[in-house]
Coordinates of all heavy atoms in Angstrom, one line a residue:
M191 N 6.6 -11.3 -7.8 CA 5.2 -11.1 -8.2 C 4.9 -12.0 -9.3 O 5.7 -12.1 -10.3 CB 5.0 -9.6 -8.5 CG 3.6 -9.3 -8.7 SD 3.4 -7.5 -8.8 CE 1.7 -7.3 -8.4
L192 N 3.7 -12.6 -9.3 CA 3.3 -13.4 -10.4 C 3.0 -12.6 -11.6 O 2.7 -11.4 -11.5 CB 2.0 -14.2 -10.0 CG 2.1 -15.2 -8.9 CD1 0.7 -15.7 -8.5 CD2 3.1 -16.3 -9.2
A193 N 3.2 -13.2 -12.8 CA 2.9 -12.5 -14.1 C 1.4 -12.2 -14.3 O 1.1 -11.2 -14.8 CB 3.5 -13.3 -15.2
K194 N 0.6 -13.2 -13.9 CA -0.8 -13.0 -14.0 C -1.6 -13.8 -12.9 O -1.0 -14.7 -12.3 CB -1.3 -13.4 -15.4 CG -0.9 -14.9 -15.8 CD -1.5 -15.3 -17.2 CE -1.1 -14.2 -18.3 NZ -1.7 -14.6 -19.6
C195 N -2.8 -13.4 -12.8 CA -3.7 -14.0 -11.8 C -4.0 -15.5 -12.2 O -4.4 -15.7 -13.3 CB -4.9 -13.2 -11.6 SG -6.1 -13.9 -10.4
D196 N -3.9 -16.4 -11.3 CA -4.3 -17.8 -11.6 C -5.8 -18.0 -11.8 O -6.2 -18.8 -12.5 CB -3.8 -18.7 -10.4 CG -2.3 -18.8 -10.3 OD1 -1.6 -18.6 -11.4 OD2 -1.8 -19.1 -9.2
A197 N -6.6 -17.2 -11.1 CA -8.0 -17.3 -11.2 C -8.6 -16.7 -12.5 O -9.4 -17.3 -13.1 CB -8.7 -16.7 -10.0
C198 N -8.2 -15.5 -12.8 CA -8.9 -14.8 -13.9 C -8.0 -14.4 -15.0 O -8.5 -14.0 -16.1 CB -9.6 -13.5 -13.3 SG -8.4 -12.2 -12.8
G199 N -6.7 -14.6 -14.9 CA -5.8 -14.3 -16.0 C -5.4 -12.9 -16.1 O -4.7 -12.5 -17.1
L200 N -5.7 -12.1 -15.2 CA -5.4 -10.7 -15.2 C -3.9 -10.5 -15.1 O -3.2 -11.1 -14.2 CB -6.0 -9.9 -14.1 CG -5.6 -8.4 -13.9 CD1 -6.1 -7.6 -15.0 CD2 -6.1 -7.9 -12.6
G201 N -3.3 -9.8 -16.1 CA -1.8 -9.6 -16.1 C -1.4 -8.6 -15.0 O -2.0 -7.5 -15.0
F202 N -0.5 -9.0 -14.1 CA -0.1 -8.1 -13.1 C 1.1 -7.1 -13.6 O 1.4 -6.1 -13.0 CB 0.4 -8.8 -11.9 CG -0.7 -9.6 -11.1 CD1 -0.4 -10.8 -10.7 CD2 -1.9 -9.0 -10.9 CE1 -1.4 -11.5 -10.0 CE2 -2.9 -9.6 -10.2 CZ -2.7 -10.9 -9.8
E203 N 1.7 -7.5 -14.7 CA 2.8 -6.7 -15.2 C 2.1 -5.7 -16.1 O 1.8 -5.9 -17.3 CB 3.8 -7.6 -16.0 CG 4.5 -8.5 -15.0 CD 5.4 -9.5 -15.8 OE1 5.3 -9.6 -17.0 OE2 6.2 -10.2 -15.1
R204 N 1.9 -4.5 -15.6 CA 1.3 -3.4 -16.4 C 2.5 -2.7 -17.1 O 3.6 -3.2 -17.2 CB 0.6 -2.4 -15.4 CG -0.3 -3.1 -14.4 CD -1.3 -4.0 -15.0 NE -2.3 -3.4 -15.8 CZ -3.3 -4.0 -16.4 NH1 -3.5 -5.3 -16.3 NH2 -4.2 -3.3 -17.1
E205 N 2.2 -1.4 -17.5 CA 3.3 -0.7 -18.2 C 4.4 -0.4 -17.3 O 4.2 -0.3 -16.0 CB 2.7 0.6 -18.9 CG 2.3 1.6 -17.9 CD 0.8 1.5 -17.5 OE1 0.1 0.6 -17.9 OE2 0.3 2.4 -16.8
P206 N 5.6 -0.1 -17.8 CA 6.8 0.3 -16.9 C 6.5 1.5 -16.0 O 5.9 2.4 -16.5 CB 7.9 0.6 -17.9 CG 7.5 -0.1 -19.2 CD 6.0 -0.1 -19.2
G207 N 6.8 1.3 -14.8 CA 6.6 2.4 -13.8 C 5.2 2.4 -13.2 O 4.9 3.3 -12.5
F208 N 4.4 1.5 -13.6 CA 3.0 1.5 -13.1 C 2.9 1.4 -11.6 O 2.2 2.2 -11.0 CB 2.3 0.3 -13.7 CG 0.9 0.1 -13.1 CD1 -0.2 0.8 -13.6 CD2 0.6 -0.8 -12.1 CE1 -1.4 0.7 -13.0 CE2 -0.6 -1.0 -11.5 CZ -1.7 -0.2 -12.0
Y209 N 3.8 0.6 -11.0 CA 3.7 0.4 -9.5 C 4.4 1.5 -8.7 O 4.4 1.4 -7.5 CB 4.2 -0.9 -9.1 CG 3.3 -2.0 -9.6 CD1 3.5 -2.8 -10.7 CD2 2.1 -2.2 -8.9 CE1 2.7 -3.8 -11.1 CE2 1.2 -3.2 -9.3 CZ 1.5 -4.0 -10.4 OH 0.6 -5.0 -10.8
L210 N 4.9 2.5 -9.4 CA 5.5 3.7 -8.7 C 4.4 4.3 -7.8 O 4.7 4.8 -6.7 CB 6.1 4.7 -9.6 CG 7.5 4.4 -10.1 CD1 7.9 5.4 -11.1 CD2 8.5 4.3 -9.0
G211 N 3.2 4.3 -8.3 CA 2.1 4.9 -7.6 C 1.8 4.2 -6.3 O 1.2 4.8 -5.4
S212 N 2.1 2.9 -6.2 CA 1.9 2.2 -5.0 C 2.7 2.8 -3.8 O 2.4 2.5 -2.6 CB 2.1 0.7 -5.2 OG 3.5 0.5 -5.3
I213 N 3.8 3.5 -4.1 CA 4.6 4.1 -3.1 C 3.7 5.1 -2.3 O 3.9 5.2 -1.1 CB 5.8 4.8 -3.7 CG1 6.8 3.7 -4.3 CG2 6.6 5.6 -2.7 CD1 7.9 4.3 -5.2
Y214 N 2.9 5.8 -3.0 CA 2.0 6.8 -2.4 C 1.0 6.1 -1.4 O 0.7 6.6 -0.4 CB 1.3 7.6 -3.4 CG 2.2 8.4 -4.3 CD1 2.3 8.2 -5.6 CD2 2.9 9.5 -3.7 CE1 3.1 8.9 -6.4 CE2 3.8 10.2 -4.5 CZ 3.9 9.9 -5.9 OH 4.7 10.7 -6.6
V215 N 0.5 5.0 -1.9 CA -0.4 4.2 -1.0 C 0.4 3.7 0.2 O -0.1 3.9 1.4 CB -1.0 3.0 -1.8 CG1 -1.8 2.1 -0.9 CG2 -1.8 3.4 -3.0
N216 N 1.6 3.2 0.0 CA 2.4 2.7 1.2 C 2.7 3.9 2.1 O 2.6 3.7 3.3 CB 3.6 2.1 0.6 CG 4.2 1.0 1.5 OD1 3.8 0.9 2.7 ND2 5.1 0.2 1.0
Y217 N 3.2 5.0 1.6 CA 3.5 6.1 2.4 C 2.3 6.7 3.1 O 2.4 7.0 4.3 CB 4.2 7.2 1.5 CG 4.4 8.5 2.3 CD1 5.5 8.5 3.1 CD2 3.6 9.6 2.1 CE1 5.8 9.7 3.9 CE2 3.9 10.7 2.8 CZ 5.0 10.8 3.7 OH 5.2 11.9 4.4
G218 N 1.2 6.8 2.4 CA 0.0 7.3 3.0 C -0.5 6.4 4.2 O -0.8 6.9 5.3
M219 N -0.5 5.1 4.0 CA -0.9 4.2 5.1 C 0.0 4.3 6.2 O -0.4 4.3 7.4 CB -1.0 2.8 4.5 CG -1.7 1.8 5.4 SD -3.4 2.2 5.7 CE -4.2 1.7 4.2
T220 N 1.3 4.3 6.0 CA 2.3 4.4 7.1 C 2.1 5.7 7.8 O 2.1 5.7 9.1 CB 3.7 4.4 6.5 OG1 3.9 3.2 5.7 CG2 4.8 4.4 7.6
S221 N 1.9 6.8 7.1 CA 1.7 8.1 7.8 C 0.5 8.1 8.6 O 0.5 8.6 9.8 CB 1.6 9.2 6.7 OG 2.8 9.3 6.0
I222 N -0.6 7.6 8.1 CA -1.9 7.6 8.8 C -1.8 6.8 10.1 O -2.2 7.2 11.2 CB -3.0 7.1 7.9 CG1 -3.4 8.1 6.9 CG2 -4.3 6.7 8.7 CD1 -4.3 7.6 5.7
L223 N -1.2 5.6 10.0 CA -1.1 4.7 11.1 C -0.2 5.3 12.2 O -0.5 5.2 13.4 CB -0.7 3.3 10.7 CG -1.7 2.5 9.9 CD1 -1.1 1.2 9.5 CD2 -2.9 2.2 10.8
T224 N 0.9 5.8 11.7 CA 1.9 6.4 12.7 C 1.3 7.6 13.4 O 1.4 7.7 14.6 CB 3.2 6.9 11.9 OG1 3.7 5.7 11.3 CG2 4.2 7.4 12.9
T225 N 0.6 8.5 12.7 CA 0.0 9.6 13.3 C -1.1 9.2 14.2 O -1.2 9.8 15.3 CB -0.6 10.6 12.2 OG1 0.5 10.9 11.3 CG2 -1.2 11.8 12.8
A226 N -2.0 8.3 13.8 CA -3.0 7.8 14.7 C -2.5 7.2 15.9 O -3.0 7.5 17.0 CB -3.9 6.8 13.9
A227 N -1.5 6.4 15.8 CA -0.9 5.7 17.0 C -0.3 6.8 17.9 O -0.4 6.7 19.1 CB 0.2 4.7 16.5
Y228 N 0.4 7.7 17.3 CA 1.0 8.8 18.1 C 0.0 9.6 18.9 O 0.1 9.7 20.1 CB 1.8 9.8 17.2 CG 2.6 10.8 18.0 CD1 4.0 10.5 18.3 CD2 2.1 12.0 18.4 CE1 4.7 11.4 19.0 CE2 2.8 12.9 19.2 CZ 4.2 12.6 19.4 OH 4.9 13.5 20.1
V229 N -1.1 10.0 18.3 CA -2.1 10.8 18.9 C -2.8 10.0 20.0 O -3.1 10.4 21.1 CB -3.1 11.3 17.9 CG1 -4.3 11.9 18.5 CG2 -2.4 12.4 17.0
V230 N -3.2 8.7 19.7 CA -3.9 7.9 20.6 C -3.1 7.6 21.8 O -3.5 7.7 23.0 CB -4.4 6.6 19.9 CG1 -4.9 5.6 20.9 CG2 -5.5 6.9 18.9
L231 N -1.8 7.2 21.6 CA -0.9 6.8 22.7 C -0.6 8.1 23.5 O -0.4 8.0 24.8 CB 0.3 6.1 22.2 CG 0.1 4.7 21.6 CD1 1.3 4.2 20.9 CD2 -0.4 3.8 22.6
W232 N -0.4 9.2 22.9 CA 0.0 10.4 23.6 C -1.1 11.0 24.4 O -1.0 11.2 25.6 CB 0.6 11.4 22.6 CG 1.1 12.7 23.2 CD1 1.8 12.8 24.3 CD2 0.8 14.0 22.7 NE1 2.1 14.2 24.5 CE2 1.5 14.9 23.6 CE3 0.1 14.5 21.6 CZ2 1.4 16.3 23.4 CZ3 0.1 15.9 21.4 CH2 0.7 16.7 22.3
L233 N -2.3 11.2 23.8 CA -3.4 11.8 24.4 C -4.2 10.8 25.2 O -4.8 11.1 26.3 CB -4.3 12.5 23.4 CG -3.6 13.6 22.6 CD1 -4.6 14.2 21.6 CD2 -3.1 14.7 23.6
G234 N -4.4 9.6 24.8 CA -5.2 8.6 25.4 C -4.5 7.9 26.5 O -5.1 7.6 27.6
F235 N -3.2 7.6 26.4 CA -2.5 6.7 27.4 C -1.4 7.5 28.0 O -0.6 6.9 28.7 CB -2.1 5.4 26.7 CG -3.2 4.6 26.2 CD1 -3.7 4.7 24.9 CD2 -3.8 3.7 27.1 CE1 -4.7 3.9 24.5 CE2 -4.9 2.9 26.7 CZ -5.3 3.0 25.4
D236 N -1.2 8.7 27.7 CA -0.2 9.6 28.3 C 1.2 9.1 28.2 O 2.0 9.1 29.1 CB -0.6 9.8 29.8 CG 0.1 11.1 30.3 OD1 0.3 12.0 29.5 OD2 0.4 11.2 31.5
V237 N 1.5 8.5 27.0 CA 2.9 8.0 26.8 C 3.7 9.2 26.4 O 3.3 10.1 25.7 CB 2.9 6.9 25.6 CG1 4.3 6.4 25.3 CG2 1.9 5.8 26.0
A238 N 5.0 9.2 26.9 CA 5.9 10.3 26.7 C 6.2 10.4 25.2 O 6.5 9.4 24.5 CB 7.1 10.1 27.5
P239 N 6.3 11.6 24.7 CA 6.6 11.8 23.2 C 8.0 11.2 22.9 O 8.1 10.6 21.8 CB 6.6 13.3 23.1 CG 5.7 13.8 24.1 CD 5.9 12.9 25.3
R240 N 8.9 11.2 23.8 CA 10.2 10.6 23.4 C 10.1 9.1 23.3 O 10.7 8.5 22.4 CB 11.2 11.0 24.5 CG 12.6 10.4 24.3 CD 13.6 10.9 25.4 NE 14.3 12.1 25.1 CZ 15.2 12.3 24.2 NH1 15.7 11.3 23.5 NH2 15.8 13.5 24.0
S241 N 9.3 8.5 24.1 CA 9.1 7.0 24.0 C 8.3 6.7 22.7 O 8.6 5.7 22.0 CB 8.2 6.5 25.2 OG 8.9 6.8 26.4
L242 N 7.4 7.6 22.3 CA 6.7 7.4 21.1 C 7.6 7.5 19.9 O 7.5 6.7 18.9 CB 5.5 8.4 21.0 CG 4.4 8.2 21.9 CD1 3.4 9.3 21.8 CD2 3.7 6.9 21.6
L243 N 8.5 8.4 20.0 CA 9.5 8.6 18.9 C 10.3 7.4 18.7 O 10.5 6.9 17.6 CB 10.4 9.8 19.2 CG 11.5 10.1 18.2 CD1 11.0 10.6 16.9 CD2 12.5 11.1 18.8
F244 N 10.8 6.8 19.8 CA 11.7 5.6 19.7 C 10.8 4.4 19.3 O 11.3 3.4 18.8 CB 12.5 5.4 20.9 CG 13.6 6.4 21.1 CD1 13.6 7.4 22.1 CD2 14.7 6.4 20.2 CE1 14.6 8.3 22.2 CE2 15.7 7.3 20.3 CZ 15.6 8.3 21.3
G245 N 9.6 4.4 19.7 CA 8.7 3.2 19.4 C 8.2 3.3 18.0 O 8.1 2.2 17.3
L246 N 7.9 4.4 17.5 CA 7.2 4.5 16.2 C 8.2 4.6 15.0 O 7.9 4.3 13.9 CB 6.3 5.7 16.1 CG 5.0 5.5 17.0 CD1 4.2 6.8 17.0 CD2 4.2 4.4 16.5
T247 N 9.4 5.0 15.3 CA 10.4 5.1 14.2 C 10.7 3.7 13.6 O 10.7 3.6 12.4 CB 11.7 5.8 14.7 OG1 11.4 7.1 15.2 CG2 12.8 5.8 13.7
P248 N 11.0 2.7 14.4 CA 11.1 1.4 13.8 C 9.9 0.9 13.0 O 10.0 0.3 12.0 CB 11.4 0.4 15.0 CG 11.9 1.3 16.1 CD 11.2 2.7 15.9
F249 N 8.7 1.3 13.5 CA 7.5 1.0 12.8 C 7.5 1.6 11.4 O 7.1 1.0 10.5 CB 6.3 1.5 13.6 CG 5.0 1.3 12.9 CD1 4.3 0.0 12.9 CD2 4.4 2.3 12.2 CE1 3.1 -0.1 12.2 CE2 3.2 2.2 11.6 CZ 2.6 0.9 11.5
C250 N 7.9 2.8 11.4 CA 8.0 3.5 10.1 C 8.9 2.9 9.1 O 8.9 3.1 7.9 CB 8.3 5.0 10.3 SG 7.0 6.0 11.0
V251 N 9.9 2.2 9.6 CA 10.9 1.5 8.7 C 10.3 0.1 8.3 O 10.4 -0.3 7.2 CB 12.2 1.4 9.4 CG1 13.2 0.5 8.6 CG2 12.8 2.8 9.7
V252 N 9.8 -0.6 9.3 CA 9.4 -2.0 9.1 C 8.1 -2.1 8.4 O 7.9 -3.0 7.5 CB 9.4 -2.8 10.4 CG1 8.8 -4.2 10.2 CG2 10.8 -2.9 11.0
F253 N 7.1 -1.3 8.8 CA 5.8 -1.4 8.2 C 5.7 -1.3 6.7 O 5.1 -2.1 6.0 CB 4.8 -0.4 8.9 CG 3.4 -0.5 8.3 CD1 2.6 -1.6 8.7 CD2 3.0 0.4 7.4 CE1 1.3 -1.6 8.1 CE2 1.7 0.3 6.8 CZ 0.9 -0.7 7.2
P254 N 6.4 -0.3 6.1 CA 6.4 -0.2 4.6 C 6.9 -1.5 3.9 O 6.4 -1.8 2.8 CB 7.2 1.0 4.3 CG 7.2 1.8 5.5 CD 7.1 0.9 6.7
M255 N 7.9 -2.1 4.5 CA 8.4 -3.3 3.9 C 7.4 -4.4 4.0 O 7.2 -5.2 3.0 CB 9.7 -3.7 4.6 CG 10.9 -2.8 4.3 SD 12.4 -3.4 4.9 CE 12.5 -2.6 6.5
F256 N 6.7 -4.5 5.1 CA 5.6 -5.5 5.3 C 4.4 -5.2 4.3 O 3.9 -6.1 3.7 CB 5.1 -5.5 6.7 CG 3.8 -6.1 6.9 CD1 3.5 -7.5 6.8 CD2 2.7 -5.3 7.1 CE1 2.3 -8.0 7.0 CE2 1.4 -5.8 7.2 CZ 1.2 -7.2 7.2
F257 N 4.1 -3.9 4.2 CA 2.9 -3.5 3.5 C 3.1 -3.4 2.0 O 2.2 -3.1 1.2 CB 2.4 -2.2 4.1 CG 1.0 -1.8 3.7 CD1 -0.1 -2.6 4.1 CD2 0.8 -0.7 2.9 CE1 -1.4 -2.2 3.8 CE2 -0.5 -0.4 2.6 CZ -1.6 -1.1 3.0
F258 N 4.4 -3.6 1.5 CA 4.7 -3.4 0.1 C 3.8 -4.0 -0.9 O 3.2 -3.4 -1.8 CB 6.2 -3.9 -0.1 CG 6.7 -3.9 -1.5 CD1 7.0 -2.7 -2.1 CD2 6.8 -5.1 -2.2 CE1 7.5 -2.7 -3.4 CE2 7.2 -5.1 -3.5 CZ 7.6 -4.0 -4.1
R259 N 3.6 -5.3 -0.7 CA 2.8 -6.1 -1.7 C 1.3 -5.7 -1.6 O 0.6 -5.7 -2.6 CB 2.9 -7.6 -1.5 CG 2.5 -8.1 -0.2 CD 2.6 -9.6 -0.1 NE 3.8 -10.2 -0.8 CZ 3.8 -11.4 -1.3 NH1 2.9 -12.2 -1.1 NH2 4.9 -11.8 -1.9
Y260 N 0.8 -5.3 -0.4 CA -0.6 -4.9 -0.2 C -0.8 -3.6 -0.9 O -1.9 -3.3 -1.4 CB -1.0 -4.9 1.3 CG -0.8 -6.3 1.9 CD1 0.3 -6.5 2.7 CD2 -1.6 -7.3 1.6 CE1 0.5 -7.7 3.3 CE2 -1.4 -8.6 2.1 CZ -0.3 -8.8 3.0 OH -0.1 -10.0 3.5
A261 N 0.2 -2.7 -0.8 CA 0.1 -1.4 -1.4 C 0.0 -1.5 -2.9 O -0.7 -0.8 -3.6 CB 1.3 -0.5 -1.0
R262 N 0.8 -2.5 -3.5 CA 0.7 -2.8 -4.9 C -0.6 -3.3 -5.3 O -1.2 -2.9 -6.3 CB 1.8 -3.8 -5.3 CG 3.2 -3.2 -5.4 CD 4.2 -4.3 -5.8 NE 5.2 -3.6 -6.5 CZ 5.8 -4.1 -7.6 NH1 5.5 -5.3 -8.0 NH2 6.8 -3.5 -8.2
A263 N -1.2 -4.2 -4.5 CA -2.5 -4.7 -4.8 C -3.6 -3.6 -4.7 O -4.5 -3.6 -5.6 CB -2.8 -5.8 -3.8
M264 N -3.4 -2.7 -3.7 CA -4.4 -1.6 -3.6 C -4.3 -0.7 -4.8 O -5.3 -0.2 -5.3 CB -4.2 -0.9 -2.3 CG -4.6 -1.7 -1.1 SD -4.0 -1.0 0.5 CE -5.4 0.1 0.8
W265 N -3.0 -0.4 -5.2 CA -2.8 0.4 -6.4 C -3.4 -0.2 -7.7 O -4.1 0.5 -8.5 CB -1.3 0.7 -6.6 CG -1.0 1.7 -7.7 CD1 -0.5 1.4 -8.9 CD2 -1.3 3.1 -7.7 NE1 -0.4 2.5 -9.6 CE2 -0.9 3.6 -8.9 CE3 -1.9 3.9 -6.7 CZ2 -1.0 4.9 -9.2 CZ3 -2.0 5.3 -7.1 CH2 -1.5 5.8 -8.3
L266 N -3.2 -1.5 -7.8 CA -3.8 -2.2 -9.0 C -5.3 -2.2 -8.9 O -6.0 -1.9 -9.9 CB -3.3 -3.6 -9.0 CG -3.7 -4.5 -10.2 CD1 -3.0 -3.9 -11.4 CD2 -3.2 -5.9 -9.9
A267 N -5.9 -2.4 -7.7 CA -7.3 -2.3 -7.5 C -7.9 -0.9 -7.8 O -9.0 -0.8 -8.5 CB -7.7 -2.8 -6.1
L268 N -7.2 0.1 -7.4 CA -7.6 1.5 -7.6 C -7.6 1.7 -9.1 O -8.6 2.3 -9.7 CB -6.7 2.4 -6.9 CG -7.0 3.9 -7.0 CD1 -8.3 4.2 -6.3 CD2 -5.9 4.8 -6.5
D269 N -6.6 1.3 -9.8 CA -6.5 1.5 -11.3 C -7.6 0.7 -12.0 O -8.2 1.2 -12.9 CB -5.1 1.1 -11.8 CG -4.9 1.5 -13.3 OD1 -5.3 2.7 -13.6 OD2 -4.5 0.7 -14.1
C270 N -7.9 -0.5 -11.5 CA -8.9 -1.3 -12.1 C -10.3 -0.6 -11.9 O -11.1 -0.7 -12.7 CB -8.9 -2.7 -11.4 SG -10.1 -3.8 -12.1
R271 N -10.5 0.0 -10.7 CA -11.7 0.7 -10.4 C -11.9 1.9 -11.3 O -13.0 2.2 -11.8 CB -11.8 1.1 -9.0 CG -13.0 1.9 -8.5 CD -14.2 1.0 -8.5 NE -15.3 1.8 -8.0 CZ -16.6 1.5 -8.2 NH1 -16.9 0.4 -8.9 NH2 -17.5 2.3 -7.8
L272 N -10.8 2.7 -11.5 CA -10.9 4.0 -12.2 C -10.8 3.8 -13.7 O -11.3 4.7 -14.4 CB -9.8 4.9 -11.7 CG -9.9 5.3 -10.2 CD1 -8.8 6.2 -9.8 CD2 -11.3 6.0 -9.9
D273 N -10.2 2.8 -14.2 CA -10.0 2.6 -15.6 C -10.2 1.1 -16.0 O -9.3 0.4 -16.4 CB -8.6 3.0 -16.0 CG -8.4 3.1 -17.5 OD1 -9.4 3.1 -18.2 OD2 -7.2 3.1 -18.0
P274 N -11.5 0.7 -15.8 CA -11.8 -0.8 -16.0 C -11.6 -1.3 -17.4 O -11.5 -2.5 -17.7 CB -13.2 -0.9 -15.5 CG -13.8 0.5 -15.6 CD -12.7 1.4 -15.4
A275 N -11.7 -0.4 -18.4 CA -11.7 -0.8 -19.8 C -10.4 -1.6 -20.1 O -10.4 -2.6 -20.8 CB -11.8 0.4 -20.7
T276 N -9.2 -1.1 -19.7 CA -8.0 -1.7 -20.0 C -7.9 -3.1 -19.3 O -7.3 -4.0 -19.8 CB -6.8 -0.9 -19.5 OG1 -6.9 -0.6 -18.1 CG2 -6.7 0.4 -20.3
F277 N -8.5 -3.2 -18.2 CA -8.5 -4.5 -17.5 C -9.4 -5.5 -18.1 O -9.1 -6.7 -18.2 CB -8.9 -4.3 -16.0 CG -7.8 -3.7 -15.2 CD1 -7.7 -2.3 -15.1 CD2 -6.9 -4.5 -14.6 CE1 -6.7 -1.7 -14.4 CE2 -5.9 -3.9 -13.8 CZ -5.8 -2.5 -13.8
R278 N -10.6 -5.1 -18.6 CA -11.5 -6.0 -19.4 C -10.8 -6.6 -20.6 O -10.8 -7.8 -20.8 CB -12.7 -5.2 -19.8 CG -14.0 -5.8 -19.2 CD -15.2 -5.0 -19.6 NE -15.5 -4.1 -18.6 CZ -15.6 -2.8 -18.8 NH1 -15.4 -2.2 -19.9 NH2 -15.9 -2.0 -17.8
D279 N -10.1 -5.7 -21.3 CA -9.3 -6.2 -22.5 C -8.3 -7.2 -22.1 O -8.0 -8.2 -22.7 CB -8.7 -5.0 -23.2 CG -9.7 -4.1 -23.8 OD1 -10.9 -4.5 -23.9 OD2 -9.3 -2.9 -24.1
D280 N -7.6 -6.9 -21.0 CA -6.5 -7.7 -20.5 C -7.0 -9.1 -20.1 O -6.4 -10.1 -20.5 CB -5.8 -7.0 -19.3 CG -4.5 -7.7 -18.9 OD1 -3.8 -8.2 -19.8 OD2 -4.2 -7.8 -17.7
V281 N -8.1 -9.2 -19.4 CA -8.6 -10.4 -18.9 C -9.1 -11.3 -20.1 O -8.8 -12.4 -20.2 CB -9.7 -10.2 -17.8 CG1 -10.4 -11.5 -17.5 CG2 -9.0 -9.6 -16.6
T282 N -9.9 -10.6 -21.0 CA -10.5 -11.4 -22.0 C -9.5 -11.9 -23.1 O -9.6 -12.9 -23.6 CB -11.6 -10.6 -22.8 OG1 -11.0 -9.3 -23.1 CG2 -12.8 -10.3 -21.9
S283 N -8.4 -11.1 -23.3 CA -7.4 -11.4 -24.3 C -6.5 -12.6 -23.8 O -5.9 -13.3 -24.6 CB -6.6 -10.2 -24.7 OG -5.8 -9.8 -23.6
S284 N -6.4 -12.7 -22.5 CA -5.5 -13.7 -21.9 C -6.1 -15.1 -21.8 O -5.5 -16.1 -21.4 CB -4.9 -13.3 -20.6 OG -5.9 -13.1 -19.6
R285 N -7.4 -15.2 -22.0 CA -8.1 -16.5 -21.8 C -8.0 -17.3 -23.1 O -7.9 -16.8 -24.2 CB -9.5 -16.3 -21.4 CG -9.6 -15.9 -19.9 CD -11.0 -15.9 -19.5 NE -11.1 -15.6 -18.0 CZ -12.1 -15.2 -17.4 NH1 -13.3 -15.1 -17.9 NH2 -12.1 -14.9 -16.1
Ligands
ZN186 ZN1 -7.8 -12.6 -10.6

């Protein structure tokens, strides 16, 4: 991960443990997509639950690894939205 944004100078390195919250974003997105896929494929396309189990389990392992950086970005954006004062100071002090 870059130390700061090339465009605006926003520091990506927040306080220690800041990105732990992104785990919730990642887990939530994985859960929502898995549940939606299960329900749609099971009820809409009559796919056997055993097939869905074997199909969606690898998804639950691979998707969080793919989505890792996007979850971090979403967590950072959420914090920026809810607590913009610290980001304003960060951006202005780094210029
Ligand atoms: Zn930026």
Side-chain angles (χ1 to χ4, degrees):
M191 189 168 200
L192 296 174
K194 56 176 51 181
C195 177
D196 292 336
C198 66
L200 173 70
F202 293 138
E203 293 175 351
R204 315 305 294 180
E205 67 267 10
F208 173 80
Y209 288 104
L210 280 175
S212 71
I213 293 170
Y214 298 112
V215 174
N216 208 346
Y217 175 75
M219 192 62 76
T220 303
S221 300
I222 288 169
L223 289 176
T224 304
T225 303
Y228 188 93
V229 169
V230 167
L231 292 172
W232 182 43
L233 298 177
F235 296 93
D236 203 28
V237 178
R240 182 176 271 285
S241 301
L242 290 172
L243 177 70
F244 288 112
L246 290 176
T247 299
F249 174 80
C250 289
V251 173
V252 173
F253 179 77
M255 289 188 267
F256 159 77
F257 196 66
F258 172 75
R259 61 174 41 203
Y260 302 105
R262 283 181 151 219
M264 290 169 89
W265 184 250
L266 187 65
L268 182 69
D269 191 45
C270 186
R271 175 72 177 160
L272 297 177
D273 191 15
T276 57
F277 286 87
R278 238 178 266 122
D279 296 342
D280 188 34
V281 171
T282 52
S283 65
S284 62
R285 282 187 180 168

